[in-house]
Amino acid sequence: MPDNDLTRLRVVLTTFFALDGFVFAGWVVRIPDIKHQTHASVGSLGLALLGVSAGAVVTMTLTGRLCRRYGSHLVTVVCAVLLSLSVALPPLTHSAPALGAVLLVFGAAYGGINVAFNSAAVDLVAALRRPIMPSFHAAFSLGGMVGSGLGGLVAAHLSPARHLLCLTVIGLLVTAVAGRALLRLRPPVPASPGRPEHVRAERVEGPGPRRPGGRGRAVVLVLGLVALCTAYGEGAMADWGALHFQQDLDASAGVAAVGYSCFALAMTVGRLSGTVLLERLGRTRTIVGGGCVAAAGMLVGSLAPSVWAALLGFAVTGLGLANLFPVAVERAGALAGPGGVAVASTLGYGGMLLGPPAIGFMADWLSLPAALTSVAVLAAVAAAIGFATRRATEA
């Protein structure tokens, strides 16, 4: 593949990562309104949000096969269309069970597109031979920041139905343009012994794809747990952050949306600097340091009595969590090729989607601030795992 095509492919994939974050954030900032519309309790809302998790987990187990059969580019485009259409469905519901049903569809699209464009991104990272995976996840975070920021601006002027319908229109327009470009570009050609150097797709900081032994599979699973702990926090912040500000800190809907924007902005900044950070500190220090910073930030964000202190805590949490997921996915791919990426990604996004319902159940038993401290606990667990597997992670 010519260098120009690789550059275009990077731009198009970055667009889809950003679109995914934009649409998802637009939905999450309207969750308090949807909760009021459906007359759902915290527990029943958590159960409804489980529909996103269920739809995503089922789709993730199938998307790898679909990508192998039809190609990750086509699957990305199809899932982007489904994601854009399904985001308009939640405001049409008036009960928690109905909300859970439509979130199954939304979750299926969300899970599918994340596996598909991560698979495409891994191929591109290997072709470029540069550790650029954090930049794709930075685009997701940037999309989330813009989506939540706009959501906060329009919350007082547009109903959830009109707001999310606008997201549908934007999503379909972006997909029409970016999808056409993506379908015209072929995936990078895998490395082969006889292929010229300039078209080889070699894996960054490690040998090409291989079948890991028992120890290698165990390390891949452990890296998947790091991704799970990280994404659990990201999902919890997205789905419960706005409600925490409104319910526990008496903030307005606009300020509540800004809370997630602070988190998303911090993650974007952290991921944009991720390549430099990895080159200077290495994977182990990045994971351990990031986990510790996130744990401290979340304790402040969840337990602080003032809005401004909580906003600061959310921002610090975003900085800490920023690069843990990309590092885990990249290293899993270096150890086990695409199969390792699939395992780490599935566990990671499973954590993102299963975290919000878990927070809801814990909030019913305890309180929402107490439930949010579980994000700090799992961030600390990720740091501990990073330290315990430091030899395998840096190898």
Side-chain angles (χ1 to χ4, degrees):
M1 177 178 284
D3 289 343
N4 289 340
D5 285 351
L6 291 175
T7 300
R8 283 195 289 270
L9 180 56
R10 181 177 182 180
V11 171
V12 172
L13 287 177
T14 299
T15 300
F16 276 107
F17 272 85
L19 176 65
D20 186 43
F22 177 79
V23 172
F24 188 74
W27 143 247
V28 300
V29 299
R30 301 314 295 256
I31 286 178
D33 296 313
I34 301 298
K35 176 181 181 293
H36 177 74
Q37 175 181 304
T38 57
H39 307 289
S41 66
V42 174
S44 60
L45 177 61
L47 192 60
L49 292 174
L50 192 59
V52 180
S53 306
V57 169
V58 171
T59 306
M60 284 177 174
T61 60
L62 300 174
T63 302
R65 297 178 184 177
L66 292 175
C67 289
R68 285 192 294 270
R69 182 169 182 178
Y70 300 106
S72 58
H73 292 186
L74 177 60
V75 176
T76 296
V77 174
V78 171
C79 289
V81 172
L82 183 58
L83 182 74
S84 300
L85 293 173
S86 61
V87 75
L89 298 178
L92 304 180
T93 63
H94 297 281
S95 67
L99 177 63
V102 300
L103 289 180
L104 280 169
V105 180
F106 182 73
Y110 182 77
I113 193 172
N114 276 279
V115 172
F117 62 35
N118 266 296
S119 297
V122 166
D123 291 339
L124 180 58
V125 168
L128 292 173
R129 290 182 290 173
R130 292 187 58 206
I132 62 167
M133 183 64 84
S135 69
F136 291 115
H137 292 266
F140 173 86
S141 298
L142 180 60
M145 181 191 69
V146 174
S148 60
L150 288 178
L153 291 176
V154 305
H157 307 288
L158 291 179
S159 66
R162 291 183 178 181
H163 176 202
L164 297 186
L165 182 60
C166 288
L167 295 186
T168 294
V169 174
I170 294 172
L172 292 176
L173 289 175
V174 172
T175 301
V177 176
R180 185 179 181 184
L182 183 61
L183 293 177
R184 287 181 174 180
L185 294 169
R186 294 178 301 165
V189 180
S192 62
R195 195 172 301 279
E197 180 69 20
H198 70 283
V199 297
R200 290 191 183 184
E202 297 177 357
R203 192 162 303 279
V204 179
E205 296 184 3
R210 60 181 184 272
R211 294 181 178 274
R215 183 173 178 272
R217 284 193 294 270
V219 173
V220 168
L221 287 174
V222 169
L223 290 167
L225 291 178
V226 172
L228 186 152
C229 292
T230 305
Y232 174 97
E234 191 169 351
M237 300 287 274
D239 280 11
W240 294 106
L243 188 61
H244 170 58
F245 277 93
Q246 287 186 263
Q247 176 180 287
D248 302 312
L249 300 175
D250 296 322
S252 65
V255 173
V258 169
Y260 183 69
S261 294
C262 288
F263 174 77
L265 175 61
M267 288 202 80
T268 303
V269 172
R271 286 172 170 174
L272 286 174
S273 60
T275 298
V276 174
L277 195 67
L278 285 168
E279 290 173 344
R280 293 186 176 182
L281 300 181
R283 299 188 190 96
T284 296
R285 290 180 181 178
T286 299
I287 293 175
V288 174
C292 292
V293 168
M298 195 63 244
L299 288 176
V300 174
S302 60
L303 301 178
S306 71
V307 171
W308 295 111
L311 288 174
L312 176 62
F314 272 44
V316 172
T317 303
L319 283 174
L321 294 179
N323 291 301
L324 272 63
F325 188 97
V327 169
V329 171
E330 180 273 325
R331 186 53 187 160
L335 286 170
V341 173
V343 170
S345 297
T346 300
L347 284 172
Y349 284 109
M352 176 182 288
L353 297 166
L354 291 172
I359 294 288
F361 296 140
M362 285 187 285
D364 255 0
W365 297 333
L366 303 169
S367 67
L368 184 54
L372 287 173
T373 61
S374 63
V375 175
V377 173
L378 289 185
V381 170
I385 291 174
F387 182 77
T389 60
R390 57 192 179 279
R391 292 184 179 179
T393 301
E394 295 291 352

